[in-house]
């Protein structure tokens, strides 16, 4: 299973009592298959993993893998503050059949750079799965280019999830480590990341408009830049509304509009309001029309 391409940063369905709705995972995964994405990034920020126990995260990894049934690439996000917890999740990912693991840098405490680098080396050494570093400066300590190049030269570390607006750094990573896989992380600048050399992208909004980004990537690869820009603009209008109403509650509401119930997010995320739902419906209408037109043409 190739690891390049468009990966949905999978949401986690919850029931009204905030327990994980395990019965809703299958339909959500089926929807991803229908969108044509290349794979799933499971247990990350979009999955509200930091609001779950280790046991819940392990169960989600197994349930998603079972639902995917070999049809999608699978990357398990195992990032935690404690190295021992990440190692435990890595074992669950391997048993469930994932192709790779990924981890955000240990956060909250002011860990030294040697401690952070040692954390990744230990994950790489212990795992039978290749490791993708999650570079997310807005949520954890960011990496310098020399640090990223050093990590990518380490055995079993094969790539970077680059959730940063620093496109210069993304291009420099591709130049310095041409064999590494680099994923663009911010959905709203997917085209920019691909233009700077990213071989794939991982994003929240791919849960409900992954088909838009699959087409965007194809257009970019084929040199159809104006069409790629049009698709990015269409997606960004939805993203702009999500930022206004809240990305997590808004994303789940949009899936509900499309007939894929995912329930509410966990508190302290708020529940969506009727006015927000109306605004989201208006924002997503052009994407739904595009999808219908595409289906009518047999795309």
């Amino acid at each position: 299973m190739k690891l390049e391409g468009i990966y949905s940063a999978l949401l986690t369905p919850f029931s009204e009592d905030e327990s994980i709705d395990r019965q809703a995972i299958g339909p959500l995964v089926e929807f991803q298959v229908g969108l044509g994405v290349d794979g799933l990034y499971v247990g990350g920020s979009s999955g509200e993993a930091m609001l779950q126990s280790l046991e819940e995260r392990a169960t989600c990894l197994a349930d998603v893998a079972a639902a995917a049934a070999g049809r999608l690439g699978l990357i398990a996000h195992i990032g935690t503050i404690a190295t021992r917890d990440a190692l435990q999740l890595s074992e669950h990912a391997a048993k469930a059949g994932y192709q790779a693991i990924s981890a955000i840098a240990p956060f909250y405490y002011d860990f030294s750079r040697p401690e952070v680098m040692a954390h990744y080396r230990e994950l790489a050494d212990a795992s039978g799965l290749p490791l993708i570093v999650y570079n997310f400066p807005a949520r954890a300590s960011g990496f310098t280019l020399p640090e990223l190049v050093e990590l990518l030269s380490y055995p079993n570390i094969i790539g970077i999830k680059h959730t940063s607006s620093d496109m210069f750094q993304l291009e420099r990573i591709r130049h310095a480590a041409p064999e590494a896989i680099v994923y663009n992380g911010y959905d709203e600048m997917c085209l920019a990341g691909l233009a700077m050399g990213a071989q794939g992208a991982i994003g929240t909004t791919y849960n409900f408009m992954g088909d838009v980004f699959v087409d965007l990537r194809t257009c970019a690869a084929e040199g159809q830049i104006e069409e790629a820009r049009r698709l990015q603009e269409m997606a960004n209008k939805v993203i702009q509304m999500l930022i206004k109403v809240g990305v997590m509650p808004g994303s789940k509401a949009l899936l509900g509009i499309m007939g894929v119930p995912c329930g509410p997010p966990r508190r302290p995320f708020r529940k969506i309001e009727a006015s927000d739902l109306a605004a989201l419906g208006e924002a997503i209408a052009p994407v739904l029309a595009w999808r219908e037109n595409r289906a009518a043409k047999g795309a």
Side-chain angles (χ1 to χ4, degrees), residues 68-281:
R71 294 172 294 169
L72 296 166
L74 294 175
I75 302 172
H77 177 259
I78 61 163
T80 59
I81 300 178
T83 303
R84 61 179 289 175
D85 291 343
L87 291 171
Q88 182 178 331
L89 287 173
S90 176
E91 292 177 3
H92 286 291
K95 290 176 182 177
Y98 282 72
Q99 283 79 50
I101 56 171
S102 180
I104 196 168
F107 50 92
Y108 187 78
Y109 295 103
D110 189 18
F111 296 108
S112 69
R113 302 315 296 166
E115 287 169 332
V116 172
M117 300 294 276
H119 171 82
Y120 279 108
R121 288 194 296 269
E122 187 166 353
L123 293 183
D125 287 341
S127 177
L129 300 176
L131 171 63
I132 297 162
V133 175
Y134 189 176
N135 183 34
F136 195 1
R139 295 290 179 266
S141 56
F143 295 92
T144 65
L145 179 61
E147 287 173 338
L148 290 173
V149 172
E150 179 183 337
L151 286 171
L152 288 169
S153 68
Y154 197 78
N156 212 32
I157 298 181
I158 64 164
I160 303 287
K161 181 177 186 284
H162 185 74
T163 305
S164 168
S165 59
D166 189 346
M167 292 293 119
F168 174 63
Q169 188 183 57
L170 189 156
E171 186 276 332
R172 289 290 83 193
I173 295 167
R174 289 289 290 121
H175 175 77
E179 300 303 316
I181 301 172
V182 179
Y183 301 89
N184 182 76
Y186 279 134
D187 303 17
E188 61 270 27
M189 53 185 65
C190 180
L191 178 57
L194 294 173
M196 296 302 272
Q199 304 101 316
I202 298 169
T204 307
T205 65
Y206 307 168
N207 278 271
F208 48 86
M209 51 183 180
D211 48 354
V212 175
F213 287 93
V214 169
D215 271 22
L216 185 156
R217 182 172 182 250
T218 299
C219 288
E222 294 177 351
Q224 301 177 41
I225 301 304
E226 286 305 314
E227 178 62 11
R229 287 178 62 189
R230 186 184 74 82
L231 292 170
Q232 184 72 75
E233 179 184 2
M234 181 172 68
N236 281 0
K237 289 179 180 178
V238 179
I239 293 169
Q240 190 169 21
M241 182 55 65
L242 281 174
I243 293 170
K244 182 177 179 180
V245 306
V247 173
M248 293 311 306
S251 294
K252 289 190 165 184
L254 283 170
L255 276 166
I257 288 173
M258 296 178 188
V260 188
C262 280
R266 271 190 177 169
R267 292 171 295 172
F269 286 120
R270 70 181 183 90
K271 289 187 177 182
I272 210 76
E273 298 177 4
S275 59
D276 299 325
L277 197 59
L280 287 167

